[in-house]
Amino acid sequence: MKDLKAQGTGGNSIQRRPRVFLKPQGQEALKKGHPWIYRGAVADVEAQAGDAVDLVYRGKVVGLGLYGTSDIAVRVLSFREEPDLWGLLGQRLKSALSLRARTMKRHRALRLIHGESDGLPAVVADLYGSTLVLQLSHPAWIKRIGTLAKALLEASEEHHFPVENLVLKNTGKHLGKEGLEEEIRPILGAMPVDLAVPFGRVLQKVDVEEGQKTGLYLDTRFWAFSLAKLPLEGASVLDAFSYQGHLSLHCLLEGASRAVMLEQSQGAIDRALWAAGNLGLKDRVEALSGNAFDQMRRLEASNASFRVVAVDPPPFAPSKKQLHGALRGYKELLVRAFNLTEPGGFVLFGSCSHAVSQGDLTALVFEAASDRGAEIRILERLCQPPDHPVNPRVPQGEYLKGMIMEVEKK
């Protein structure tokens, strides 16, 4: 732990903190419990980017937050005066890891910290076996990375999530808004080599450096269990935006005869084929590299059909500004999915765009089915797993939604 302490603490629970003064709308946001204070709701600032700040309204300290340079001026940690930043951090970590220990204790790949939903905005921590991958998208956490890492490791050990390697993986365009640069480096231990973890019945390789997010998509891993309820014996499966193929590989394990994976990343395809080979399923998998839209068009032109079509695209609408284009893209995918489904077959469709609500998705599904001349029945609605909890005061956190449908064609 000595090495971690040397990487920066930044605690300031004793001396007076820098301050951010709120306008009335900032105070209203605070009263509603939303952990973001936008710049337009700030009256004055006596702080630098990366400071832990007291939030002040009409001369009274009303909260504690982290000050940054993006449109979200303050990430709120507490909605009242809070003298001890690190005491608060310890409480939040204990609460978050206690939840995982109670609900996810048998899993070796899971999210330990889920940002605002765990009261720790701009912090994500994913555990793969004994490797913990950390994403910190705010300068205040980078400034205090040593103390944060030490507290996280102590909490992990207390709740029986042993960690040998702790890796910082900060990637993505959003970092620039907070004045941060991309970086991937070990904080404790080393970069993992040949790391693999079980996803249900499928062993998945984890490429921390090159893989999506922290290495894998952890949020849809339970969707495979929903697909397993379908009549899969002898079924053909299309897995669009398959990434490492855990959905279609689970279908094969449940009796499906073949799976076609559509994926743009060659690295993800290689890891999917490794997983298929590990299960003795490689001869029943066809992986097509390239744009999923284009590949689905080619399959339609060849009159291909599948009993199960799974479509789980990347976020088309990171914000409401992109909503119209996202809905248009989703509708095209839905129509093509219906076209590629055999009569009486099934479609799984997912969206990880937080700007697209479950209501938006339902309306879009019925619109696409109407255009295609298909009748559908929704069998199951899909959402985030327990290690990706949702704070109802932060609707943006409920980003993942989907459904499984039966498709009858007219």
Side-chain angles (χ1 to χ4, degrees):
M1 295 298 181
K2 291 181 180 179
D3 291 340
L4 293 177
K5 287 182 179 180
Q7 295 186 44
T9 58
N12 59 352
S13 59
I14 298 176
Q15 67 262 40
R16 172 175 162 170
R17 293 193 186 102
R19 295 188 162 199
V20 170
F21 300 85
L22 303 179
K23 294 179 181 178
Q25 58 264 44
Q27 170 66 357
E28 281 301 309
L30 209 64
K31 286 169 65 177
K32 292 177 181 177
H34 198 289
W36 296 349
I37 303 294
Y38 287 96
R39 199 156 298 280
V42 171
D44 196 12
V45 176
E46 296 177 358
Q48 302 294 321
D51 283 344
V53 296
D54 283 329
L55 304 175
V56 180
Y57 182 68
R58 293 182 177 175
K60 181 182 178 182
V61 176
V62 292
L64 168 66
L66 307 174
Y67 182 69
T69 59
S70 72
D71 290 341
I72 304 172
V74 180
R75 311 282 180 136
V76 181
L77 287 171
S78 178
F79 300 91
R80 62 184 183 185
E81 186 173 11
E82 197 71 55
D84 184 0
L85 170 61
W86 297 111
L88 177 66
L89 174 70
Q91 294 170 15
R92 298 283 167 80
L93 290 173
K94 182 177 181 179
S95 175
L97 271 69
S98 173
L99 174 65
R100 276 63 173 188
R102 286 178 285 129
T103 61
M104 305 287 290
K105 62 183 179 181
R106 293 186 177 89
H107 294 267
R108 293 186 57 206
L110 70 155
R111 176 155 294 183
L112 295 186
I113 307 294
H114 188 52
E116 284 81 353
S117 294
D118 287 311
L120 292 167
V123 178
V124 166
D126 289 341
L127 184 66
Y128 301 104
S130 60
T131 294
L132 186 60
V133 184
L134 194 59
Q135 289 186 327
L136 304 175
S137 53
H138 197 280
W141 295 125
I142 296 296
K143 183 178 179 180
R144 297 163 173 80
I145 191 169
T147 305
L148 173 63
K150 180 175 182 293
L152 180 54
L153 289 169
E154 289 175 349
S156 299
E157 184 175 352
E158 179 184 347
H159 290 88
H160 308 292
F161 295 112
V163 174
E164 294 179 5
N165 305 306
L166 177 60
V167 176
L168 174 68
K169 183 181 182 181
N170 265 15
T171 57
K173 296 178 181 178
H174 63 284
L175 293 171
K177 297 177 181 178
E178 293 288 1
L180 297 175
E181 296 183 356
E182 293 191 354
E183 58 176 329
I184 303 175
R185 61 181 174 89
I187 300 172
L188 180 72
M191 292 296 298
V193 177
D194 295 327
L195 177 60
V197 293
F199 257 37
R201 297 170 65 188
V202 177
L203 193 66
Q204 293 268 270
K205 276 192 171 183
V206 185
D207 189 331
V208 173
E209 293 191 70
E210 299 296 332
Q212 292 292 333
K213 295 196 173 183
T214 59
L216 287 177
Y217 290 109
L218 290 172
D219 47 9
T220 60
R221 64 196 187 281
F222 289 176
W223 291 10
F225 306 148
S226 295
L227 284 176
K229 302 171 188 175
L230 301 176
L232 293 170
E233 192 65 36
S236 56
V237 178
L238 176 63
D239 190 356
F241 305 96
S242 61
Y243 196 50
Q244 295 184 191
H246 80 100
L247 293 179
S248 47
L249 290 175
H250 273 95
C251 289
L252 291 174
L253 288 171
E254 294 293 335
S257 61
R258 72 183 184 100
V260 176
M261 300 178 186
L262 311 181
E263 173 56 44
Q264 194 152 349
S265 165
Q266 187 59 50
I269 288 176
D270 292 342
R271 293 188 290 275
L273 293 176
W274 175 87
N278 191 55
L279 294 165
L281 300 173
K282 199 168 182 178
D283 60 341
R284 291 155 63 186
V285 172
E286 181 182 2
L288 301 179
S289 177
N291 181 281
F293 283 89
D294 295 337
Q295 296 289 3
M296 291 176 79
R297 292 187 193 104
R298 293 190 186 101
L299 288 169
E300 277 187 78
S302 68
N303 295 316
S305 66
F306 303 84
R307 187 185 304 174
V308 176
V309 176
V311 184
D312 182 24
F316 291 168
S319 70
K320 289 189 177 295
K321 293 178 181 178
Q322 292 89 23
L323 181 58
H324 180 71
L327 294 177
R328 187 170 61 249
Y330 285 154
K331 183 178 177 181
E332 179 181 345
L333 288 174
L334 280 162
V335 170
R336 297 198 183 283
F338 295 150
N339 287 341
L340 288 164
T341 306
E342 64 186 44
F346 305 90
V347 169
L348 179 154
F349 192 85
S351 166
C352 57
S353 297
H354 74 76
V356 178
S357 69
Q358 187 68 261
D360 291 334
L361 193 60
T362 301
L364 196 64
V365 160
F366 280 99
E367 184 181 329
S370 178
D371 286 0
R372 171 57 184 81
E375 291 290 339
I376 64 168
R377 287 186 286 185
I378 297 173
L379 306 183
E380 184 176 349
R381 294 190 184 275
L382 306 171
C383 59
Q384 296 160 223
D387 58 342
H388 290 63
V390 176
N391 180 345
R393 293 177 174 177
V394 192
Q396 296 90 339
E398 194 170 6
Y399 68 97
L400 187 64
K401 68 282 298 183
M403 60 186 72
I404 296 177
M405 303 161 271
E406 182 196 35
V407 181
E408 289 289 355
K409 299 178 181 179
K410 297 178 182 177

